[in-house]
Amino acid sequence: MEDFWWIWIAAGLGLAILEVIVPGFLFAGFAVGAVITGGLVWIGLPSTEWIVDSLVLSLLLFAVISVIAWLVMRAVLGVRQGQMKRIDHDINED
């Protein structure tokens, strides 16, 4: 299971590419979560052995990191409070 760090990294890169295609921060958090999980598996520190040993725990770590990354990116890059998109002209009026 230690040799599967590259699958996490490849999945993260694939999700990042998908994020470029699909607008709206849908896959960005998942991409960051996958890359960080892959990095933790690749580094292989003694305190991170539990990530490699259990698929369920590695998926749980991936989910937690993804949610945290999504929330941070949404707070930093998302719509600010008080901002809203206002449309003054309907495309069907012409």
Side-chain angles (χ1 to χ4, degrees):
M1 200 73 177
E2 295 171 1
D3 295 333
F4 292 117
W5 62 270
W6 62 271
I7 294 174
W8 284 108
I9 303 291
L13 292 175
L15 287 166
I17 291 169
L18 195 58
E19 175 63 35
V20 171
I21 296 170
V22 178
F25 294 115
L26 294 175
F27 298 103
F30 293 121
V32 170
V35 169
I36 290 174
T37 303
L40 289 173
V41 171
W42 178 57
I43 291 171
L45 298 173
S47 61
T48 60
E49 290 176 355
W50 58 273
I51 300 170
V52 179
D53 293 340
S54 173
L55 178 62
V56 174
L57 290 176
S58 63
L59 289 173
L60 180 65
L61 177 71
F62 162 69
V64 169
I65 292 172
S66 296
V67 168
I68 292 169
W70 184 82
L71 289 172
V72 167
M73 283 189 287
R74 190 71 175 163
V76 172
L77 302 173
V79 175
R80 303 284 185 246
Q81 187 169 351
Q83 286 182 336
M84 64 180 181
K85 193 175 210 178
R86 184 171 181 184
I87 300 173
D88 294 327
H89 179 72
D90 186 7
I91 61 170
N92 294 320
E93 288 180 357
D94 291 337

